[in-house]
Amino acid sequence: MKKIFIALLASVALVSCELEKEPYGSMDTGQITQDPEAVIDALMNGTYAQLKAWSDPMHRAGEYAGDNMMIRGSSTDAFYEFISFSRTPNNGRLNQFWSAGYKAIAQSSNIINMVKEGQNAELDNRLGECYYIRGLMYFYLVRAYGRPYYDNPSVNLGMPLVNGTPDDVVNITLPDRATVKETYEQIIADLKKAETMITKDKGPIFASKAAVQAILSRVYLYMSGTYESPNAEYAQLSIDYANKVINSGEHALLGREQFMKYNTFTPENNPETIFAVKRLASEYSGSDHYYGIGGMYANIGGQGWGEMYASAKYIDLLNETGRNDWRPSKYKIVDARAAFIEPTYRKDATTGAFTEVFRFIKEDGKDVLNYAQLTVARNGNTITCSETIDKVVTTYTLTPVDAAQEIYSITYKDGKTYQGVLDNFITLNRVYPQFYITKASREGEDSHLHSPVISRLGEIYLNRAEAYAKLGNYSAALSDLNTIRTRSIVGGGYASLDASNASLRIDKERQLELAYQAERSYDVFRNGGSLTRQYPGPHAQFEEITAKDYRVIYFIPQRAIDTHPGALTQNPTQ
């Protein structure tokens, strides 16, 4: 008789030719089918647990390939390939992303296959949760390993559709990858099934009807084509599902002040969070904080590598409607999203005083941009800054651009004019000021505890805004866009929206709002856009990565290909 393990960690051969075992004992499938109520909680706990292992590489693959962050230098860690776009199939983090995703698919499928539908409301609700998890996994996998939906979905390859552990795991042949279109059909079928079966809302760390509808809104948005060539049917469906979430009244946007502390709330105590992968403090002890998502973005309380910082591009977006000033003596947040950025200002070890500098970005050779922080001196109304190179001191006079916000310009020694700000000196890691990111840290405590957010209400308004714009309903799109924008920027709403500016403004708001939630790179490419990262960092600063570039999707992990019983086609290598 086939065995299924309590944590249900039996995996399909996509992960390994052997069934994986957990040291919790086992039970016959007959026991499960005969008395599912006695074991369903244990089985579901094992399924949700897989999302924890999945969420880490999911975040890195989605966020690091975007333009919201920079890293202090190259790294031997496999995640550096996400940043550098040097794609290879032998990437351990991509393999973890694939493996954990398919384990969750296998486990949810096994429950679906073993527990008969219609026995009672509680079991049906649990089956609905399984359909949600399976649809969610296929969606996140196909957007990483399959090309954007607008680009020949009937031809381009998506994911292998393997819904459950086969009875005979030795003598099997599994299918090759389905097309992107077929994968999306599987996703939608699973999510719609989940929508009909889930009748209980147990909070945002469990699948709910709203969580299902939120992902369906995003799935249909991904299918809605580009701004230049929209698909009206799918845009309308994205709106329809966004309406279901928004009109349900089950979730509410946080006010501005509360939103600025979003990262500190547990999912259960945040009315805006629709679904999050729950993490516990007990899972992070000692140096474990170094290896969580937030550990790369900041060092908090002596924990974390703190090697990745907010990009200059993202900081410029935050400052677009007014300078955000993080100096302790002048702290002023114009855009609420700036509250998740914390520069590491250096104090004099003896006096405790800060050093005033003029910080700007300069050209530092061909196709190289770097920060400069030049010490400031004041003499009456004249402000100068100076730098010393090879014992030669060069002094520059600052010209006001917006003196009230302390924005100035200088004519540098290379003959070019650079604009920057008066600020305190920010400590450097190598040559880069540390603009720490805390959006993935400080959940309920002063550490890197973080429950990755999959869906929240802020995104749903932006989904609906984009879908309305693709249908040409710019007044409705403007209303939704400003709902989110004015929450963060007081009085910052747009007066109008039309075909000439809708894509720019909506995409910009998505970037600002959803930064550090693993959405940015996918948002760029699914609309046929190009990624540019013309800001300091070790990446190729002046490279333009178009939506047609083969590198916008990841290679199938070589281990998955090697262990797949049957053909498993690799993505194009050029």
Side-chain angles (χ1 to χ4, degrees), residues 147-153 180-181 184 222-225 234 526:
R147 293 201 64 81
Y149 195 86
Y150 81 89
D151 182 12
N152 295 317
V180 168
K181 183 175 185 292
Y184 271 77
Y222 271 58
M223 299 172 71
S224 68
Y234 295 136
R526 69 176 173 81

Side-chain angles (χ1 to χ4, degrees), residues 22-34:
E22 287 289 276
Y24 303 119
S26 62
M27 65 180 69
D28 293 330
T29 56
Q31 293 176 264
I32 298 172
T33 56
Q34 290 170 17

Side-chain angles (χ1 to χ4, degrees), residues 361-371 412-414 416 418 541-542:
I361 294 173
K362 63 178 180 176
E363 294 181 15
D364 209 10
K366 179 176 173 54
D367 293 340
V368 177
L369 300 174
N370 267 326
Y371 284 99
Y412 196 56
K413 62 184 178 183
D414 60 6
K416 297 177 180 177
Y418 298 115
Q541 296 176 6
F542 286 82

Side-chain angles (χ1 to χ4, degrees), residues 328-543:
S329 62
K330 299 186 178 184
Y331 192 77
K332 180 182 179 182
I333 297 298
V334 175
D335 189 320
R337 280 80 60 116
F340 306 120
I341 310 299
E342 296 183 9
T344 58
Y345 291 121
R346 185 184 69 187
K347 288 184 178 181
D348 184 273
T350 302
T351 65
F354 296 106
T355 300
E356 188 177 30
V357 298
F358 178 64
R359 187 175 57 257
F360 61 98
I361 294 173
K362 63 178 180 176
E363 294 181 15
D364 209 10
K366 179 176 173 54
D367 293 340
V368 177
L369 300 174
N370 267 326
Y371 284 99
Q373 298 190 103
L374 307 189
T375 304
V376 164
R378 296 173 180 266
N379 184 6
N381 293 326
T382 301
I383 305 175
T384 60
C385 62
S386 60
E387 67 177 343
T388 303
I389 299 177
D390 295 330
K391 299 182 179 181
V392 176
V393 178
T394 306
T395 300
Y396 306 96
T397 299
L398 275 60
T399 301
V401 174
D402 185 336
Q405 297 191 80
E406 296 188 284
I407 302 172
Y408 293 82
S409 68
I410 63 170
T411 301
Y412 196 56
K413 62 184 178 183
D414 60 6
K416 297 177 180 177
T417 299
Y418 298 115
Q419 183 172 300
V421 296
L422 292 178
D423 202 353
N424 296 334
F425 184 89
I426 299 174
T427 53
L428 304 177
N429 197 326
R430 294 188 178 173
V431 296
Y432 303 115
Q434 298 180 141
F435 286 93
Y436 279 173
I437 302 159
T438 60
K439 199 173 186 181
S441 302
R442 293 202 172 116
E443 183 181 308
E445 58 179 42
D446 194 24
S447 73
H448 294 299
L449 181 60
H450 172 62
S451 296
V453 176
I454 302 302
S455 298
R456 62 181 177 87
L457 192 59
E459 179 211 342
I460 308 306
Y461 279 97
L462 293 174
N463 290 352
R464 195 168 69 174
E466 180 179 329
Y468 273 136
K470 286 177 175 176
L471 292 179
N473 189 345
Y474 295 112
S475 61
L478 178 64
S479 176
D480 281 341
L481 184 64
N482 279 343
T483 294
I484 299 304
R485 186 167 178 81
T486 56
R487 191 249 303 259
S488 285
I489 307 170
V490 178
Y494 293 114
S496 63
L497 199 72
D498 55 43
S500 69
N501 58 28
S503 63
L504 176 64
R505 290 179 174 178
I506 293 170
D507 288 354
K508 178 171 62 178
E509 207 59 33
R510 286 188 73 91
Q511 181 172 8
L512 283 165
E513 184 73 11
L514 304 179
Y516 317 116
Q517 289 181 216
E519 299 296 322
R520 174 59 181 163
S521 60
Y522 303 117
D523 273 348
V524 171
F525 298 130
R526 69 176 173 81
N527 271 319
S530 296
L531 185 75
T532 57
R533 298 179 292 173
Q534 294 182 19
Y535 52 80
H539 56 275
Q541 296 176 6
F542 286 82
E543 180 182 27

